[in-house]
Amino acid sequence: MPATIRTKATDALLVIDLQADFMPGGALAVGDGDAVVPIANALMRRFDHVVVTQDWHPPGHASFASTHAAPPFSTKRLAYGDQTLWPDHCVQGAPGAALHPALDTDRAFLILRKGMEPGVDSYSAFVEADGRTTTGLAALLSARRVKRVFCCGLATDFCVAHSALDARAAGFDVFVVEDACRAIDADGSLDAAWARMNAAEVWRVQSREILGWCMTPSG
Ligand code: VGL
Ligand code: ZN
């Protein structure tokens, strides 16, 4: 089968949070998370505009359960709304924050770090959890004449979904490459994320539609 999606000069790929802490054995491990690294590498070669994101929290970040002496995966009301509390993860400069060593970032024009504000989380690569503070990414992509944004990485139901929804809200046509993502899936969060994405007309696609069958990586 030939590729059914032909990538264009006005397409961008976001490669989201492929970091050690989200890999098996990491502090906030996403099951099978490392399986998406070779797919992301293959996808990046098909895009003229590639952005790699990196969750990059200061120690004592507001999204860490330890900061509030609360159990991980509980919820805490913060100034901007309800925040899921996570195990400490992706602390700036720590080994767990490093990008996966097999991720080939050579074609990325930007490595965007997010979640750096001590009191505000940022699942999205576009807008922080306060719903107001922009990372500037939408303007940067628009300046490069990008019209379509393809998303892959971790986790489908958190950083990928929030980035996809915000890209859509910023006026881009948005595609999530499902098999190039893996989910945390706590309390039905994966189904809920797809419901929101479907409602927003974020399109679900598979990597083989972009790569063609013969290019689907095996490992
Ligand atoms: C993420 C939870 C906390 C993600 C980041 O990359 O999906 N999830 N921080
Ligand atoms: Zn985080």
Side-chain angles (χ1 to χ4, degrees), residues 79-171:
Y80 53 80
D82 287 344
Q83 170 71 48
T84 301
L85 299 180
W86 305 104
D88 290 24
H89 65 279
C90 298
V91 175
Q92 294 169 4
L99 294 168
H100 190 290
L103 188 70
D104 177 6
T105 59
D106 287 359
R107 301 201 63 256
F109 76 88
L110 174 67
I111 296 180
L112 181 111
R113 289 172 168 170
K114 61 186 178 60
M116 296 180 66
E117 188 62 40
V120 186
D121 206 1
S122 191
Y123 296 145
S124 166
F126 292 89
V127 184
E128 294 185 25
D130 62 8
R132 283 196 302 270
T133 309
T134 170
T135 65
L137 182 57
L140 197 48
L141 295 176
S142 293
R144 296 173 76 107
R145 305 274 178 265
V146 167
K147 301 278 183 270
R148 302 196 298 184
V149 174
F150 292 72
C151 303
C152 68
L154 303 174
T156 323
D157 39 350
F158 289 93
C159 289
V160 175
H162 280 78
S163 297
L165 288 163
D166 283 348
R168 186 78 190 116

Side-chain angles (χ1 to χ4, degrees), residues 151 156 160 164 174-178 181 194 197 202-205:
C151 303
T156 323
V160 175
V174 183
F175 301 77
V176 169
V177 188
E178 184 177 26
C181 302
W194 277 119
M197 292 193 283
V202 168
W203 308 113
R204 183 190 319 221
V205 299

